[in-house]
Amino acid sequence: MSEHTHANPKREVVSYAITLAILLVLTFITVAVSYLDFGAGNVVIALAIATIKASLVGLIFMHLLHDKPIDGLILVAGFLLLALFLGFSAIDVDSRGNLEPANVKTPIAAPAKPPAKP
């Protein structure tokens, strides 16, 4: 664990407040985008915003910004592996044709009612 010097606590409070404001704005953007229809782009936009938010949390609140470079490399490797796994899942889902299970039977239509006698 690296040694952190806290030379100016007011500067850290300002940094945390700015980070909080950015995270709140990104959350508002995420909610606003969820009401718009971009098709498959909704997932991409939501994941991009979530990645930015997670990076901010890691850099500021987990102190990766002022830590050893190897810790940042581990964070980036985690994001790359996540992207790789999500990419393989997307390829797998996209390669499937009919997603309806084979054992689902079509519903049987109700028999026609005989005409009413006058």
Side-chain angles (χ1 to χ4, degrees):
M1 190 166 187
S2 66
E3 304 256 344
H4 294 288
T5 58
H6 301 287
N8 191 356
K10 289 183 182 180
R11 183 176 174 191
E12 287 187 11
V13 170
V14 170
S15 172
Y16 289 155
I18 291 171
T19 305
L20 173 66
I22 292 171
L23 289 172
L24 288 173
V25 167
L26 287 173
T27 301
F28 176 75
I29 291 171
T30 304
V31 171
V33 167
S34 72
Y35 288 106
L36 301 174
D37 184 24
F38 293 111
N42 281 359
V43 174
V44 174
I45 292 170
L47 285 175
I49 294 172
T51 302
I52 293 169
K53 288 168 55 176
S55 298
L56 278 173
V57 169
L59 289 172
I60 304 300
F61 295 114
M62 295 172 64
H63 303 287
L64 289 176
L65 188 61
H66 303 291
D67 216 355
K68 297 175 186 173
I70 189 69
D71 295 333
L73 183 64
I74 292 170
L75 178 72
V76 170
F79 280 132
L80 289 176
L81 285 173
L82 176 66
L84 183 71
F85 294 147
L86 288 175
F88 282 139
S89 296
I91 291 170
D92 181 50
V93 170
D94 192 41
S95 68
R96 299 172 188 259
N98 186 9
L99 295 179
E100 186 175 328
N103 60 353
V104 174
K105 297 178 182 176
T106 56
I108 300 172
K113 293 182 181 179
K117 294 182 183 179

